[in-house]
């Protein structure tokens, strides 16, 4: 392992879990948790279908429903998904005031 100061050290791995295993374990504690994996290419612009998948995933959620975005590297894919989620939530919020 290399830390932030580039110091190398060794650690013993006692247990290794995949992301799916971690999410399944969390579903016991948080019964309404939904895990949706949306693979988005990191080396090219996202496809229109990627945006459709993200929006379809958010349809039916409440305004105050938290959205957790995870990206192994944390570069453009995470930013893209966060922007889509924020825009979707903004549309939900604006629509809640229609007809008042």
């Amino acid at each position: 392992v290399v830390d932030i100061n580039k110091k190398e050290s060794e650690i013993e791995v006692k247990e290794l879990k995949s992301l799916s295993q971690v999410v399944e374990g969390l579903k016991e504690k948080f019964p309404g948790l939904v895990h949706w994996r949306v693979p988005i290419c990191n080396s090219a612009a996202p496809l229109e279908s990627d945006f459709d998948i993200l929006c379809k995933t958010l349809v039916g959620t409440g305004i105050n429903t938290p959205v957790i975005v995870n990206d192994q590297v944390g570069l453009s894919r995470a930013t893209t998904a966060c922007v889509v989620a924020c825009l979707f939530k903004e549309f939900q919020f604006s629509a809640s005031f229609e007809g008042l």
Side-chain angles (χ1 to χ4, degrees):
V1 176
V2 179
D3 70 7
I4 193 165
N5 297 318
K6 298 187 179 182
K7 179 184 173 193
E8 290 188 35
S9 60
E10 290 187 23
I11 59 171
E12 179 184 347
V13 177
K14 295 180 181 178
E15 184 178 13
L16 183 65
K17 291 184 178 183
S18 68
L19 178 60
S20 296
Q21 290 171 321
V22 172
V23 171
E24 288 304 315
L26 287 171
K27 285 182 179 180
E28 295 172 7
K29 188 175 180 182
F30 304 99
L33 181 66
V34 176
H35 176 244
W36 199 266
R37 185 174 183 278
V38 182
I40 298 176
C41 178
N42 195 36
S43 59
L47 302 173
E48 187 174 337
S49 60
D50 296 332
F51 293 102
D52 292 342
I53 292 169
L54 289 168
C55 289
K56 286 179 184 176
T57 303
L58 294 171
V59 167
T61 61
I63 293 172
N64 61 347
T65 301
V67 176
I68 301 168
V69 176
N70 179 37
D71 179 2
Q72 285 182 328
V73 180
L75 296 172
S76 58
R77 295 176 294 181
T79 304
T80 300
C82 285
V83 169
V84 170
C86 287
L87 287 171
F88 189 90
K89 291 296 181 179
E90 178 62 29
F91 291 139
Q92 279 185 316
F93 190 71
S94 297
S96 69
F97 289 112
E98 287 181 12
L100 291 180

